[in-house]
Amino acid sequence: VGRGKTLLMDLFALSLGGPVDLGGPVVRRRHFHDLMYTIHRRINEERRFGSSMGVRAAINEVLVGSPPVLCLDEFQITHIADATLMIPLFSELLSEEVSLVMTSNRPPEDLYKGGLNREAHVPAFVALVESRLRVHNMRAQVDYRDVQRREDALLGASGG
């Protein structure tokens, strides 16, 4: 936490011309929880209208404009509804040859730790992640949030 993961991901997205959401050509940047909201909403819409597209329709919505790079910030699995979607969602994304860049405060093996029916969903997802993606641990000695807080406190104390 506070090691600069989001900053590095944002700089990476900008180096490729900026996120599609901001008019850039190749990158879509989403907060993971926003992505999952979109996925769940779209799956529910598909079910309501009797379609069997499900996850595929949701991915089509996420990948509109065909960005080859998808950046997901704050990746974490917090409930069973998300856990059950990890394998179908990421299998589909990877079959589309989308490059994924994700930030997380947990290593893959600690995702959804202690969660309901974790063993039924997460180990296979972790195996997929470890076989198809590279995981980098950012071991920084500095928590940059603390640096900002100290600077803010000093500026506040000095009236500047």
Side-chain angles (χ1 to χ4, degrees):
V1 176
R3 302 300 187 241
K5 298 177 296 294
T6 297
L7 175 64
L8 285 176
M9 185 182 68
D10 289 346
L11 290 172
F12 170 73
L14 289 170
S15 77
L16 295 176
V20 170
D21 314 51
L22 299 176
V26 297
V27 181
R28 175 153 294 119
R29 185 211 186 279
R30 302 280 300 265
H31 191 277
F32 181 71
H33 289 293
D34 177 52
L35 171 78
M36 292 311 296
Y37 174 81
T38 300
I39 298 292
H40 287 291
R41 179 187 49 77
R42 186 55 192 247
I43 288 171
N44 287 333
E45 286 173 4
E46 293 295 312
R47 285 182 184 148
R48 190 173 44 235
F49 295 112
S51 172
S52 61
M53 288 286 288
V55 171
R56 179 73 254 165
I59 289 172
N60 288 344
E61 181 175 326
V62 169
L63 295 180
V64 68
S66 300
V69 180
L70 179 60
C71 294
L72 300 174
D73 194 25
E74 299 290 335
F75 183 86
Q76 61 179 342
I77 304 169
T78 57
H79 51 81
I80 189 67
D82 287 350
T84 62
L85 289 174
M86 291 300 103
I87 288 291
L89 173 61
F90 281 86
S91 294
E92 285 284 334
L93 285 171
L94 292 169
S95 75
E96 292 290 326
E97 297 186 13
V98 172
S99 295
L100 295 170
V101 176
M102 301 185 293
T103 68
S104 180
N105 291 324
R106 298 178 180 266
E109 63 274 8
D110 287 349
L111 291 168
Y112 198 49
K113 198 170 198 168
L116 179 66
N117 291 326
R118 180 189 189 279
E119 64 284 346
H121 305 286
V122 177
F125 173 67
V126 170
L128 176 68
V129 166
E130 290 177 345
S131 69
R132 299 286 307 274
L133 304 173
R134 285 189 219 145
V135 176
H136 297 280
N137 185 346
M138 293 184 59
R139 292 187 177 118
Q141 298 299 316
V142 175
D143 181 336
Y144 291 101
R145 297 167 308 151
D146 288 341
V147 170
Q148 185 64 48
R149 283 185 209 123
R150 283 193 299 270
E151 288 177 1
D152 290 348
L154 287 172
L155 288 174
S158 67

